[in-house]
Amino acid sequence: MSERLCLTRDEIKALTRTPQKARQLKFLRQNGIRHYIDGHGWPVVLRAAVGIIDPAPVATPPEWWPNKLGPRPGS
């Protein structure tokens, strides 16, 4: 799973095309992008809110092997 849950400030700046936090907030509100404001007044956007989700790799479970047959071959 991705360690980064939220967009960085540079990614938000690229998304909104402005470095000013007031204009970033205006852009996010106008476009209906879910966000919240941190303690310093900067917008915080979750990656899932803009559709940037890193899919977790799907681990395939090992094939079933009965205990009566002993250890698996090759292990």
Coordinates of all heavy atoms in Angstrom, one line a residue:
M1 N 0.8 -1.2 0.0 CA 0.0 0.0 0.0 C 0.9 1.2 0.0 O 2.0 1.3 0.6 CB -0.9 0.0 1.2 CG -2.0 1.0 1.2 SD -3.3 0.6 2.4 CE -3.1 2.1 3.4
S2 N 0.4 2.3 -0.6 CA 1.2 3.5 -0.7 C 1.3 4.2 0.6 O 0.3 4.2 1.4 CB 0.5 4.4 -1.7 OG 1.2 5.6 -1.8
E3 N 2.5 4.7 0.9 CA 2.7 5.3 2.2 C 2.1 6.7 2.2 O 1.8 7.3 3.2 CB 4.2 5.4 2.5 CG 4.8 4.1 2.7 CD 4.3 3.4 4.0 OE1 4.1 4.2 5.0 OE2 4.2 2.2 4.0
R4 N 2.0 7.3 1.0 CA 1.5 8.7 0.9 C 0.0 8.7 0.7 O -0.5 8.3 -0.3 CB 2.2 9.4 -0.2 CG 3.7 9.5 0.1 CD 4.5 10.1 -1.0 NE 3.7 10.7 -2.1 CZ 4.3 11.2 -3.2 NH1 5.6 11.1 -3.3 NH2 3.6 11.7 -4.1
L5 N -0.7 9.2 1.7 CA -2.2 9.2 1.7 C -2.7 10.5 1.0 O -3.7 10.5 0.3 CB -2.7 9.1 3.1 CG -4.2 9.1 3.3 CD1 -4.8 7.8 2.7 CD2 -4.5 9.1 4.8
C6 N -2.0 11.6 1.2 CA -2.4 12.9 0.7 C -1.5 13.4 -0.4 O -0.3 13.0 -0.5 CB -2.4 13.9 1.8 SG -3.5 13.4 3.2
L7 N -2.0 14.3 -1.3 CA -1.2 14.9 -2.3 C -0.2 15.9 -1.6 O -0.5 16.5 -0.5 CB -2.1 15.8 -3.2 CG -3.1 15.0 -4.1 CD1 -3.9 16.0 -4.9 CD2 -2.4 14.0 -5.0
T8 N 1.0 16.0 -2.2 CA 2.0 17.0 -1.7 C 1.5 18.4 -2.1 O 0.7 18.6 -2.9 CB 3.4 16.7 -2.2 OG1 3.3 16.9 -3.6 CG2 3.8 15.3 -1.9
R9 N 2.2 19.4 -1.5 CA 1.8 20.8 -1.9 C 2.2 21.0 -3.3 O 1.4 21.8 -4.0 CB 2.6 21.8 -1.0 CG 2.0 21.9 0.4 CD 2.5 23.1 1.1 NE 1.9 23.1 2.5 CZ 2.4 23.9 3.4 NH1 3.3 24.7 3.2 NH2 1.8 23.8 4.6
D10 N 3.2 20.4 -3.8 CA 3.6 20.6 -5.2 C 2.6 20.0 -6.1 O 2.2 20.5 -7.2 CB 5.0 20.0 -5.5 CG 6.1 20.9 -4.9 OD1 5.9 22.1 -4.7 OD2 7.1 20.3 -4.6
E11 N 2.0 18.8 -5.7 CA 1.0 18.2 -6.5 C -0.3 19.0 -6.5 O -1.0 19.1 -7.6 CB 0.8 16.8 -6.0 CG 1.9 15.8 -6.3 CD 1.8 14.5 -5.6 OE1 1.1 14.4 -4.6 OE2 2.3 13.5 -6.2
I12 N -0.6 19.6 -5.4 CA -1.8 20.4 -5.3 C -1.6 21.7 -6.2 O -2.5 22.1 -6.9 CB -2.2 20.8 -3.9 CG1 -2.6 19.5 -3.1 CG2 -3.3 21.8 -3.8 CD1 -2.8 19.7 -1.6
K13 N -0.4 22.2 -6.1 CA -0.1 23.4 -6.9 C -0.3 23.1 -8.4 O -0.8 23.8 -9.2 CB 1.3 23.9 -6.7 CG 1.7 25.1 -7.4 CD 3.0 25.8 -7.0 CE 4.1 25.0 -6.6 NZ 5.4 25.7 -6.5
A14 N 0.2 21.9 -8.9 CA 0.1 21.5 -10.3 C -1.4 21.2 -10.6 O -1.9 21.5 -11.7 CB 0.9 20.2 -10.5
L15 N -2.2 20.6 -9.7 CA -3.6 20.4 -9.9 C -4.4 21.7 -10.1 O -5.2 21.8 -11.0 CB -4.1 19.5 -8.8 CG -5.6 19.3 -8.8 CD1 -6.0 18.3 -9.9 CD2 -6.1 18.7 -7.5
T16 N -4.1 22.6 -9.2 CA -4.9 23.9 -9.2 C -4.3 24.9 -10.1 O -4.9 26.0 -10.3 CB -5.1 24.4 -7.8 OG1 -3.8 24.6 -7.3 CG2 -5.8 23.4 -6.9
R17 N -3.1 24.7 -10.5 CA -2.3 25.7 -11.4 C -2.1 27.0 -10.7 O -2.1 28.1 -11.3 CB -3.0 25.9 -12.7 CG -3.1 24.6 -13.5 CD -3.7 24.9 -14.9 NE -4.4 23.7 -15.3 CZ -5.7 23.6 -15.4 NH1 -6.4 24.6 -15.2 NH2 -6.2 22.5 -15.8
T18 N -2.0 27.0 -9.4 CA -1.7 28.3 -8.6 C -1.0 27.9 -7.3 O -1.3 26.9 -6.7 CB -2.9 29.1 -8.3 OG1 -2.6 30.3 -7.7 CG2 -3.9 28.3 -7.5
P19 N 0.0 28.8 -6.9 CA 0.7 28.5 -5.7 C 0.0 29.1 -4.4 O 0.4 28.9 -3.3 CB 2.1 29.1 -5.9 CG 1.8 30.2 -6.8 CD 0.7 29.8 -7.7
Q20 N -1.0 30.0 -4.7 CA -1.7 30.7 -3.6 C -2.7 29.8 -3.0 O -3.6 29.3 -3.7 CB -2.3 32.0 -4.1 CG -1.2 32.9 -4.7 CD -1.9 34.1 -5.3 OE1 -3.1 34.2 -5.4 NE2 -1.0 35.1 -5.8
K21 N -2.7 29.7 -1.6 CA -3.6 28.8 -1.0 C -5.1 29.3 -1.1 O -6.0 28.4 -1.2 CB -3.3 28.6 0.5 CG -3.2 29.8 1.4 CD -2.8 29.4 2.8 CE -2.4 30.6 3.6 NZ -1.8 30.2 4.9
A22 N -5.4 30.6 -1.1 CA -6.7 31.0 -1.3 C -7.3 30.6 -2.7 O -8.4 30.2 -2.8 CB -6.8 32.5 -1.2
R23 N -6.5 30.7 -3.7 CA -6.9 30.3 -5.0 C -7.0 28.8 -5.2 O -7.9 28.3 -5.9 CB -6.0 30.9 -6.1 CG -6.1 32.4 -6.2 CD -5.3 32.9 -7.4 NE -5.5 34.3 -7.5 CZ -4.9 35.1 -8.4 NH1 -4.0 34.5 -9.2 NH2 -5.1 36.4 -8.4
Q24 N -6.1 28.1 -4.5 CA -6.2 26.7 -4.5 C -7.5 26.2 -3.8 O -8.2 25.3 -4.4 CB -5.0 26.0 -3.7 CG -3.7 26.2 -4.4 CD -2.6 25.6 -3.6 OE1 -2.7 25.3 -2.4 NE2 -1.4 25.6 -4.2
L25 N -7.9 26.8 -2.7 CA -9.2 26.5 -2.0 C -10.4 26.8 -2.9 O -11.3 26.0 -3.0 CB -9.3 27.2 -0.7 CG -8.3 26.7 0.4 CD1 -8.3 27.7 1.6 CD2 -8.7 25.3 0.8
K26 N -10.3 27.9 -3.6 CA -11.4 28.3 -4.5 C -11.5 27.3 -5.6 O -12.6 26.9 -6.0 CB -11.1 29.7 -5.1 CG -12.2 30.2 -6.0 CD -11.8 31.6 -6.5 CE -12.9 32.1 -7.5 NZ -12.5 33.4 -8.1
F27 N -10.4 26.9 -6.2 CA -10.4 25.9 -7.3 C -11.0 24.6 -6.8 O -11.9 24.0 -7.5 CB -9.0 25.6 -7.8 CG -8.9 24.6 -8.9 CD1 -9.1 24.9 -10.2 CD2 -8.7 23.3 -8.5 CE1 -9.0 23.9 -11.2 CE2 -8.6 22.3 -9.5 CZ -8.8 22.6 -10.8
L28 N -10.6 24.1 -5.6 CA -11.1 22.8 -5.1 C -12.6 22.9 -4.8 O -13.3 22.0 -5.1 CB -10.3 22.5 -3.8 CG -8.8 22.2 -4.0 CD1 -8.1 22.0 -2.7 CD2 -8.6 20.9 -4.9
R29 N -13.1 24.0 -4.3 CA -14.5 24.2 -4.0 C -15.3 24.2 -5.3 O -16.4 23.6 -5.4 CB -14.8 25.5 -3.2 CG -14.4 25.3 -1.7 CD -14.9 26.6 -1.0 NE -14.1 26.7 0.2 CZ -13.2 27.7 0.3 NH1 -13.1 28.7 -0.6 NH2 -12.4 27.8 1.4
Q30 N -14.8 25.0 -6.3 CA -15.6 25.1 -7.5 C -15.7 23.8 -8.3 O -16.7 23.6 -9.0 CB -14.9 26.2 -8.4 CG -15.2 27.6 -8.0 CD -14.5 28.6 -8.9 OE1 -13.6 28.3 -9.6 NE2 -14.9 29.8 -8.8
N31 N -14.7 23.0 -8.2 CA -14.6 21.7 -8.9 C -15.1 20.5 -8.1 O -15.1 19.4 -8.6 CB -13.2 21.4 -9.4 CG -12.9 22.4 -10.5 OD1 -13.5 22.4 -11.6 ND2 -12.0 23.3 -10.3
G32 N -15.6 20.8 -6.9 CA -16.2 19.7 -6.1 C -15.2 18.7 -5.6 O -15.6 17.5 -5.4
I33 N -13.9 19.1 -5.4 CA -12.9 18.1 -5.0 C -12.9 18.2 -3.4 O -12.7 19.2 -2.9 CB -11.5 18.5 -5.5 CG1 -11.6 18.4 -7.1 CG2 -10.5 17.5 -5.0 CD1 -10.3 18.9 -7.8
R34 N -13.1 17.0 -2.8 CA -13.2 16.9 -1.4 C -11.8 17.2 -0.8 O -10.8 16.7 -1.3 CB -13.6 15.6 -0.9 CG -15.1 15.3 -1.3 CD -15.5 13.9 -0.9 NE -15.5 13.8 0.6 CZ -16.6 13.9 1.3 NH1 -17.8 14.1 0.8 NH2 -16.5 13.8 2.6
H35 N -11.8 18.1 0.2 CA -10.5 18.5 0.8 C -10.8 19.0 2.2 O -12.0 19.1 2.6 CB -9.9 19.6 0.0 CG -10.7 20.9 0.0 ND1 -11.8 21.0 -0.8 CD2 -10.6 22.0 0.7 CE1 -12.3 22.2 -0.6 NE2 -11.6 22.8 0.3
Y36 N -9.7 19.2 3.0 CA -9.9 19.9 4.3 C -8.7 20.8 4.4 O -7.8 20.8 3.6 CB -10.0 18.9 5.4 CG -8.9 18.0 5.7 CD1 -7.9 18.4 6.6 CD2 -8.8 16.8 5.1 CE1 -6.8 17.5 6.8 CE2 -7.7 15.9 5.3 CZ -6.7 16.3 6.2 OH -5.7 15.5 6.4
I37 N -8.7 21.7 5.4 CA -7.7 22.7 5.6 C -6.9 22.3 6.8 O -7.5 22.1 7.9 CB -8.4 24.1 5.7 CG1 -9.2 24.4 4.5 CG2 -7.3 25.2 5.9 CD1 -10.1 25.5 4.6
D38 N -5.6 22.3 6.7 CA -4.7 22.0 7.8 C -4.6 23.2 8.8 O -5.3 24.2 8.6 CB -3.4 21.5 7.4 CG -2.5 22.6 6.7 OD1 -2.9 23.8 6.7 OD2 -1.4 22.3 6.3
G39 N -3.8 23.1 9.8 CA -3.7 24.1 10.8 C -3.1 25.4 10.4 O -3.2 26.4 11.0
H40 N -2.4 25.3 9.2 CA -1.8 26.5 8.7 C -2.6 27.2 7.5 O -2.1 28.1 6.9 CB -0.4 26.2 8.2 CG 0.5 25.7 9.2 ND1 1.1 26.5 10.2 CD2 0.9 24.4 9.5 CE1 1.8 25.7 11.0 NE2 1.7 24.5 10.6
G41 N -3.8 26.6 7.3 CA -4.6 27.2 6.2 C -4.4 26.6 4.9 O -5.1 27.1 3.9
W42 N -3.6 25.6 4.7 CA -3.3 25.0 3.4 C -4.3 23.9 3.1 O -4.7 23.2 4.0 CB -1.9 24.5 3.3 CG -0.9 25.5 3.2 CD1 -0.1 26.1 4.2 CD2 -0.5 26.2 2.0 NE1 0.7 27.0 3.7 CE2 0.5 27.2 2.4 CE3 -0.9 26.2 0.7 CZ2 1.1 28.0 1.5 CZ3 -0.3 27.0 -0.2 CH2 0.7 27.9 0.2
P43 N -4.7 23.7 1.9 CA -5.6 22.6 1.6 C -4.9 21.3 1.6 O -3.8 21.2 1.2 CB -6.1 22.9 0.2 CG -5.1 23.8 -0.4 CD -4.5 24.5 0.7
V44 N -5.6 20.3 2.1 CA -5.1 18.9 2.1 C -6.1 18.0 1.3 O -7.3 18.0 1.6 CB -5.0 18.4 3.6 CG1 -4.5 16.9 3.6 CG2 -4.1 19.3 4.4
V45 N -5.6 17.4 0.3 CA -6.4 16.6 -0.6 C -6.0 15.1 -0.5 O -4.8 14.8 -0.7 CB -6.3 17.1 -2.1 CG1 -7.2 16.3 -3.0 CG2 -6.7 18.5 -2.1
L46 N -6.9 14.2 -0.3 CA -6.6 12.8 -0.3 C -6.4 12.3 -1.7 O -7.1 12.8 -2.6 CB -7.7 12.0 0.4 CG -7.9 12.3 1.8 CD1 -9.1 11.4 2.3 CD2 -6.7 11.9 2.6
R47 N -5.5 11.4 -2.0 CA -5.3 10.9 -3.3 C -6.6 10.2 -3.9 O -6.8 10.3 -5.0 CB -4.2 9.8 -3.3 CG -2.8 10.5 -3.0 CD -1.7 9.5 -3.2 NE -0.4 10.1 -3.0 CZ 0.2 10.9 -3.9 NH1 -0.4 11.0 -5.1 NH2 1.3 11.5 -3.6
A48 N -7.3 9.6 -3.0 CA -8.6 9.0 -3.5 C -9.6 10.0 -4.0 O -10.5 9.7 -4.8 CB -9.2 8.1 -2.3
A49 N -9.5 11.2 -3.5 CA -10.5 12.2 -3.9 C -10.3 12.7 -5.3 O -11.2 13.1 -6.0 CB -10.4 13.5 -3.0
V50 N -9.1 12.5 -5.8 CA -8.8 12.9 -7.2 C -8.5 11.7 -8.1 O -8.2 11.8 -9.3 CB -7.6 13.9 -7.3 CG1 -8.0 15.2 -6.8 CG2 -6.4 13.3 -6.7
G51 N -8.7 10.5 -7.6 CA -8.6 9.3 -8.4 C -7.2 8.7 -8.5 O -7.0 7.9 -9.4
I52 N -6.3 9.2 -7.7 CA -4.9 8.7 -7.8 C -4.8 7.6 -6.7 O -4.5 8.0 -5.5 CB -3.9 9.8 -7.6 CG1 -4.1 10.9 -8.6 CG2 -2.5 9.2 -7.6 CD1 -3.2 12.1 -8.4
I53 N -5.0 6.4 -7.0 CA -4.9 5.3 -6.0 C -3.9 4.3 -6.6 O -4.0 3.8 -7.7 CB -6.3 4.7 -5.8 CG1 -7.3 5.7 -5.3 CG2 -6.2 3.5 -4.9 CD1 -8.7 5.1 -5.2
D54 N -2.9 4.0 -5.7 CA -1.9 3.0 -6.1 C -2.5 1.6 -5.7 O -2.7 1.4 -4.5 CB -0.6 3.2 -5.4 CG 0.0 4.5 -5.8 OD1 -0.2 4.9 -6.9 OD2 0.8 5.1 -4.9
P55 N -2.9 0.8 -6.6 CA -3.4 -0.5 -6.3 C -2.4 -1.4 -5.5 O -1.3 -1.4 -5.9 CB -3.8 -1.1 -7.6 CG -3.0 -0.5 -8.6 CD -2.7 0.9 -8.1
A56 N -2.9 -2.0 -4.5 CA -2.0 -2.9 -3.7 C -1.8 -4.1 -4.5 O -2.7 -4.7 -5.1 CB -2.7 -3.2 -2.3
P57 N -0.6 -4.7 -4.5 CA -0.4 -5.9 -5.2 C -1.2 -7.0 -4.6 O -1.2 -7.2 -3.4 CB 1.1 -6.1 -5.1 CG 1.6 -5.3 -3.9 CD 0.6 -4.2 -3.8
V58 N -1.8 -7.8 -5.4 CA -2.6 -8.9 -4.9 C -1.7 -10.2 -4.8 O -1.1 -10.6 -5.8 CB -3.8 -9.2 -5.9 CG1 -4.6 -10.4 -5.4 CG2 -4.6 -8.0 -6.1
A59 N -1.6 -10.7 -3.6 CA -0.8 -11.9 -3.3 C -1.7 -13.1 -3.6 O -2.8 -13.2 -3.1 CB -0.3 -11.9 -1.9
T60 N -1.2 -14.0 -4.4 CA -2.0 -15.2 -4.6 C -1.7 -16.2 -3.5 O -0.5 -16.4 -3.1 CB -1.6 -15.8 -6.0 OG1 -0.2 -16.1 -6.0 CG2 -1.9 -14.9 -7.1
P61 N -2.7 -16.8 -2.9 CA -2.5 -17.7 -1.9 C -1.9 -19.0 -2.4 O -2.1 -19.4 -3.6 CB -3.9 -18.0 -1.3 CG -4.8 -17.6 -2.4 CD -4.1 -16.6 -3.2
P62 N -1.1 -19.7 -1.6 CA -0.5 -20.9 -2.0 C -1.5 -22.0 -2.3 O -2.6 -22.0 -1.7 CB 0.5 -21.3 -0.9 CG -0.1 -20.6 0.3 CD -0.7 -19.3 -0.2
E63 N -1.2 -22.9 -3.2 CA -2.1 -23.9 -3.6 C -2.3 -24.8 -2.4 O -1.3 -25.1 -1.6 CB -1.5 -24.7 -4.8 CG -2.4 -25.8 -5.3 CD -1.8 -26.5 -6.5 OE1 -1.0 -25.9 -7.1 OE2 -2.1 -27.7 -6.6
W64 N -3.5 -25.3 -2.2 CA -3.8 -26.2 -1.1 C -3.0 -27.5 -1.2 O -2.9 -28.1 -2.3 CB -5.3 -26.5 -1.0 CG -5.6 -27.3 0.2 CD1 -5.8 -26.9 1.4 CD2 -5.9 -28.7 0.1 NE1 -6.1 -28.0 2.2 CE2 -6.2 -29.1 1.5 CE3 -6.0 -29.7 -0.9 CZ2 -6.5 -30.4 1.8 CZ3 -6.3 -31.0 -0.5 CH2 -6.6 -31.3 0.8
W65 N -2.4 -27.9 -0.1 CA -1.7 -29.2 0.0 C -2.0 -29.9 1.2 O -1.9 -29.4 2.3 CB -0.2 -28.9 0.0 CG 0.7 -30.1 -0.2 CD1 1.3 -30.8 0.8 CD2 1.1 -30.7 -1.4 NE1 2.0 -31.8 0.3 CE2 1.9 -31.8 -1.1 CE3 0.8 -30.5 -2.7 CZ2 2.4 -32.7 -2.0 CZ3 1.3 -31.3 -3.7 CH2 2.1 -32.4 -3.3
P66 N -2.5 -31.2 1.1 CA -3.0 -31.9 2.3 C -1.8 -32.3 3.2 O -0.7 -32.6 2.7 CB -3.7 -33.1 1.8 CG -3.2 -33.3 0.4 CD -2.8 -32.0 -0.1
N67 N -1.9 -32.3 4.5 CA -0.8 -32.6 5.4 C -0.5 -34.1 5.3 O 0.7 -34.5 5.6 CB -1.2 -32.3 6.8 CG -1.3 -30.8 7.1 OD1 -0.6 -30.1 6.4 ND2 -2.0 -30.4 8.1
K68 N -1.4 -34.9 4.9 CA -1.1 -36.4 4.8 C -0.1 -36.7 3.8 O 0.6 -37.7 3.9 CB -2.4 -37.1 4.5 CG -3.4 -37.1 5.7 CD -4.6 -38.0 5.4 CE -5.5 -38.1 6.5 NZ -6.7 -38.9 6.3
L69 N 0.1 -35.8 2.8 CA 1.0 -36.1 1.7 C 2.4 -35.7 2.1 O 3.4 -35.9 1.4 CB 0.6 -35.4 0.5 CG -0.7 -35.9 -0.2 CD1 -0.9 -35.1 -1.5 CD2 -0.5 -37.4 -0.5
G70 N 2.6 -35.1 3.3 CA 3.9 -34.7 3.7 C 4.3 -33.3 3.2 O 3.4 -32.6 2.8
P71 N 5.5 -32.9 3.3 CA 5.9 -31.6 2.9 C 5.7 -31.4 1.4 O 5.8 -32.3 0.6 CB 7.4 -31.5 3.3 CG 7.9 -32.9 3.4 CD 6.7 -33.7 3.8
R72 N 5.6 -30.2 1.0 CA 5.4 -29.8 -0.4 C 6.7 -30.2 -1.2 O 7.8 -30.0 -0.6 CB 5.1 -28.3 -0.6 CG 3.8 -27.9 0.0 CD 3.7 -26.4 -0.2 NE 2.5 -25.9 0.4 CZ 1.4 -25.7 -0.3 NH1 1.4 -25.8 -1.6 NH2 0.3 -25.3 0.3
P73 N 6.5 -30.6 -2.4 CA 7.7 -30.8 -3.2 C 8.4 -29.4 -3.5 O 7.8 -28.5 -3.7 CB 7.2 -31.4 -4.5 CG 5.7 -31.3 -4.5 CD 5.3 -31.0 -3.1
G74 N 9.7 -29.4 -3.4 CA 10.5 -28.2 -3.6 C 10.6 -27.3 -2.4 O 11.1 -26.2 -2.5
S75 N 10.1 -27.7 -1.3 CA 10.2 -26.8 -0.1 C 11.0 -27.4 1.0 O 11.5 -28.5 0.9 CB 8.9 -26.4 0.5 OG 8.1 -27.6 0.8

